[in-house]
C-alpha cells in the first residue's frame, strides 16, 4: 500500500505519493508535469494573488516553467525563465550559484541579456512549484537584483518543511521523519 497525502487546489484533488528523499525523511511529492488540470488550477489560484504593481513573472527551470507560462497566460504579464544551463544565445549572461535540496551538487542559474533587459527596472513576481530549503529562491533574488529588477512577491504552489511567511503559497506540505 502506497502512502499518500491529499491536496485540493480549487476543485482539483490529488493524492500525492509519499516518497523517501533521505534515510530519515519522506515528502509528499508534488508533480505538475503531465497534469494539465492541476497545473492550470494552481496557476489560476496563484494569478489571483499577484498584486497589480507586478510587471514580470520569473520562474526557475524546471519547476517554475509550467507555472510561469500559465501565470503569464492568466495575468497577461510577460515571463522569464532562469535557466540551469548556459544556452548558445546567451553571449553575456548573468549567472548566480544555486544550491537546492532537489538537485545534488552546486549549480548555477543563468539569464540571457534579452531576459535581463525585460527584468531591468521592473517589479517581479518569482514563482516556483515547491519551496523547501530556499536555495533556489535565494539564487532567484540574486539574479533578479543583478538584472536590475526588484522582487515584489514570491509565489509557490507549496512550501515544504518550515513554514515561510515571506512566500505566498497555496498549501504547506509536511516532511515526514522516521
Amino acid at each position: 500500500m502506497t502512502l499518500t497525502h491529499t491536496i485540493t487546489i480549487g476543485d482539483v484533488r490529488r493524492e500525492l505519493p509519499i516518497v523517501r528523499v533521505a534515510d530519515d525523511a519522506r515528502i509528499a511529492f508534488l508533480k505538475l508535469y503531465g497534469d494539465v488540470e492541476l497545473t492550470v488550477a494552481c496557476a489560476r489560484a496563484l494569478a489571483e494573488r499577484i498584486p497589480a504593481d507586478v510587471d514580470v513573472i520569473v520562474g526557475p527551470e524546471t519547476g517554475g516553467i509550467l507555472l510561469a507560462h500559465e501565470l503569464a497566460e492568466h495575468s497577461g504579464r510577460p515571463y522569464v525563465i532562469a535557466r540551469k544551463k548556459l544556452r548558445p544565445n546567451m553571449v553575456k549572461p548573468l549567472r548566480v550559484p544555486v544550491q537546492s535540496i532537489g538537485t545534488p551538487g552546486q549549480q548555477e542559474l543563468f539569464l540571457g541579456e534579452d531576459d535581463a533587459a525585460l527584468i531591468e527596472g521592473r517589479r517581479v513576481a518569482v514563482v516556483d512549484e515547491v519551496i523547501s530549503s530556499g536555495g533556489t529562491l535565494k539564487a532567484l533574488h540574486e539574479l533578479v537584483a543583478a538584472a536590475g529588477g526588484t522582487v515584489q512577491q514570491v509565489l509557490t504552489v507549496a512550501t515544504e518543511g518550515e513554514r515561510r511567511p515571506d512566500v505566498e503559497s497555496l498549501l504547506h506540505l509536511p516532511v515526514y521523519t522516521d
Side-chain angles (χ1 to χ4, degrees):
M1 179 169 124
T2 303
L3 296 176
T4 62
H5 178 85
T6 305
I7 65 165
T8 303
I9 307 290
D11 60 352
V12 178
R13 178 184 159 121
R14 293 293 183 267
E15 296 292 328
L16 305 182
I18 297 175
V19 299
R20 187 163 301 284
V21 292
D23 289 341
D24 61 347
R26 294 171 292 130
I27 62 167
F29 191 78
L30 175 66
K31 179 183 152 215
L32 296 182
Y33 280 97
D35 193 335
V36 174
E37 183 183 33
L38 180 59
T39 302
V40 170
C42 290
R44 279 189 183 135
L46 289 171
E48 293 173 3
R49 298 179 183 201
I50 299 175
D53 65 347
V54 165
D55 304 307
V56 180
I57 297 162
V58 175
E61 188 176 34
T62 58
I65 293 173
L66 296 174
L67 285 172
H69 178 86
E70 283 295 320
L71 276 173
E73 185 75 25
H74 291 286
S75 71
R77 292 173 175 88
Y79 76 97
V80 168
I81 299 300
R83 306 301 297 259
K84 288 184 177 180
K85 292 182 180 176
L86 190 60
R87 303 295 176 184
N89 65 312
M90 297 178 178
V91 179
K92 294 180 183 176
L94 296 176
R95 62 188 339 149
V96 296
V98 61
Q99 178 69 49
S100 82
I101 198 167
T103 308
Q106 184 73 31
Q107 294 190 336
E108 290 182 295
L109 287 180
F110 300 90
L111 273 183
E113 307 85 85
D114 56 340
D115 289 332
L118 186 61
I119 293 170
E120 185 177 10
R122 300 229 169 98
R123 294 171 302 268
V124 171
V126 169
V127 63
D128 203 356
E129 191 173 21
V130 176
I131 295 178
S132 187
S133 67
T136 301
L137 181 58
K138 179 179 181 289
L140 287 168
H141 273 288
E142 292 173 12
L143 204 54
V144 167
T150 305
V151 175
Q152 289 291 103
Q153 183 182 44
V154 177
L155 298 160
T156 187
V157 174
T159 54
E160 182 177 74
E162 290 187 32
R163 295 195 183 267
R164 300 188 56 113
D166 59 324
V167 174
E168 183 78 27
S169 68
L170 300 178
L171 53 99
H172 181 75
L173 297 173
V175 174
Y176 303 91
T177 56
D178 298 331

